[in-house]
Amino acid sequence: LAEASGRRLEQVFSIIEETSGRIATSPVERCLREGMVTHLDEDVVLIGRHAERRDVQSSASPLRTADGTIMGAVLVFQDVTASRALQKQLAHSATHDPLTGLPNRLAFERALITVTDQARRELRTHALCFIDLDRFKPVNDTAGHAAGDALLCKVAEIIKSICRRQDFSARIGGDEFAVILADCTPQSAKRVAQKLCDAVAALAFRWDNRTYRIGASVGITPISLRAATPAELMSEADSACYAAKAAGRGRVAIYGS
């Protein structure tokens, strides 16, 4: 109390918006201005005296004299760090593959809808890459599912290392991955995809004193003004991937070319 006395509220109750990092509006300030109980609905973070961060919910109620004059306010806040962390964990689990940590098929389909609309609205060109692993099943059958899972994680790491920050990669099936390359022509996408194929082919996966080698085939289709529906784009990329496999595997094919 001695440390807080005489200080401005924002020096004691220092809160910021979680997403933007901007200073959040104090519920007390709004309460005194509007003369009514106010709540902070958005996610805010309380910055402690030693710069520690705690997620909080808060509300403020006006404090009135007998004749109704506002003489101050009562601030109530609750530490919700644990419950908010659980909410984030559940939200993450719903949209991410638990094995590789990449976004899952649901998240990818949502992202594809977004970039398809964006391509039409802003006249931008992106590329959708469908990646299917070659010779993966023998690893699963011979070395077991634990080995297969470990290998999938290695492939996911390769994909993440090759993709840029603005790209979107996901695991959409057993040994199937997909990538949206932002602002990328089909020919540029082909170079990126070939780099990915080469990296997967160069992977020497060791398990129980045995080395396994796999490959990857990639099908590409452009996401542009003429783009079909997201489902049709996935079908096009899948068809291109099938063509890459039919041509000898470990290759890249562009839909319609």
Side-chain angles (χ1 to χ4, degrees), residues 85-100:
L86 179 59
Q87 290 174 351
K88 292 175 183 176
Q89 181 181 350
L90 292 174
H92 185 274
S93 298
T95 56
H96 285 74
D97 172 42
L99 177 63
T100 63

Side-chain angles (χ1 to χ4, degrees), residues 108 127-131 159 163 167-170 177-181:
F108 186 80
L128 168 60
C129 302
F130 185 94
I131 306 161
I159 293 173
C163 289
D167 300 329
F168 191 96
S169 56
F177 298 83
V179 176
I180 297 171
L181 296 174

